[in-house]
Amino acid sequence: MLIAPSILAADPLNLGRDARRMVEAGCDWLHVDVMDAHFVPNLSFGPDTVAALHRAFPEVPLDVHLMMDNPEAYLRRFAEAGAAGITVHAEVPGDPAALLREIRALGCRPGLSLKPATPVEAAAPYLPLCGLVLVMTVEPGFGGQAFMPEMAEKLPRLRQAGFAGLTEADGGLRPDNLPLLVRKGLDVAVMGTALLHAASPAEDMAAIRRLGA
Ligand code: DX5
Ligand code: ZN
């Protein structure tokens, strides 16, 4: 299982220090939660932060999660900033298929994210265009929320719907709830609070990897 710390949980005044700590602890990706204060009631990072992370950690894939109402206006900027993957929400206005096609045309892995209230069936038409599907296990907008275990059922449902790409979960993931997600076949774990605030992130990541072995 791949580990993608979410820098949303980093100290805003020490973003580079905290990101480096995750990279040195052995994370696979860095997850960048982009929030526009419209799609979700919070405001976070932009393309400049992605570009700075890419300059500092050119070998670490940046997994950009756009919680934005108008992602079409920013896809190129995040791709040029160095995003390895760009994930948009199935709930945005407009046509997810066009967004996913443009993300792939820009050379990034296209991802589709489902809010808790959005069933897998709503994503079915778009799965062939996705390299990744992100199952939200909290209501998007804030780190540090409580994990919603009932969301784990979306993982096998995605496989039953024929999805062969990467599955990812985001929100409230902790070592104690990861075994459930591993049993359901999770590929990528997004973890903010649990890793950014960990005393020994390298040990925690090693323990997580043993779960997914
Ligand atoms: C919600 C965010 C959070 C974040 C992870 O929109 O996407 O889920 O990445 O937060 P933690 O791991 O602190 O719950
Ligand atoms: Zn996220």
Side-chain angles (χ1 to χ4, degrees):
M1 183 168 61
L2 299 176
I3 300 170
S6 165
I7 62 163
L8 187 72
D11 171 354
L13 294 182
N14 292 283
L15 188 55
R17 179 202 70 189
D18 287 2
R20 182 169 306 284
R21 191 163 169 261
M22 294 296 106
V23 173
E24 289 174 354
C27 70
D28 295 287
W29 298 353
L30 285 174
H31 185 84
V32 183
D33 283 309
V34 177
M35 300 178 180
D36 68 351
H38 290 273
F39 184 77
V40 292
N42 199 354
L43 194 57
S44 61
F45 310 109
D48 290 350
T49 299
V50 172
L53 287 167
H54 187 54
R55 281 193 302 274
F57 312 108
E59 301 311 309
V60 180
L62 300 178
D63 176 39
V64 177
H65 174 192
L66 299 184
M67 288 163 271
M68 303 177 70
D69 270 335
N70 63 332
E72 65 280 0
Y74 287 84
L75 297 180
R76 176 170 297 279
R77 287 174 64 184
F78 280 107
E80 288 172 352
I86 300 177
T87 297
V88 294
H89 267 266
E91 302 86 5
V92 296
D95 176 13
L99 294 172
L100 294 165
R101 287 193 183 97
E102 183 176 354
I103 294 168
R104 193 175 292 277
L106 288 165
C108 300
R109 182 195 51 249
L112 190 65
S113 184
L114 305 178
K115 290 167 76 171
T118 303
V120 166
E121 292 67 28
Y126 313 112
L127 296 179
L129 299 171
C130 295
L132 174 143
V133 172
L134 169 52
V135 173
M136 292 305 296
T137 45
V138 296
E139 196 60 36
F142 299 90
Q145 300 179 79
F147 175 73
M148 298 168 69
E150 65 276 23
M151 293 296 122
E153 272 317 305
K154 289 186 179 178
L155 297 170
R157 275 198 218 122
L158 282 164
R159 296 303 182 209
Q160 290 150 16
F163 181 58
L166 292 173
T167 59
E168 185 175 44
D170 178 1
L173 270 58
R174 310 262 183 283
D176 63 284
N177 59 42
L178 273 180
L180 165 65
L181 293 165
V182 169
R183 283 198 304 276
K184 298 293 183 180
L186 183 68
D187 294 314
V188 186
V190 174
M191 300 175 78
T193 308
L195 283 177
L196 272 290
H197 302 174
S200 313
E203 288 172 25
D204 293 353
M205 289 188 199
I208 289 165
R209 288 206 169 85
R210 284 194 292 275
L211 281 177

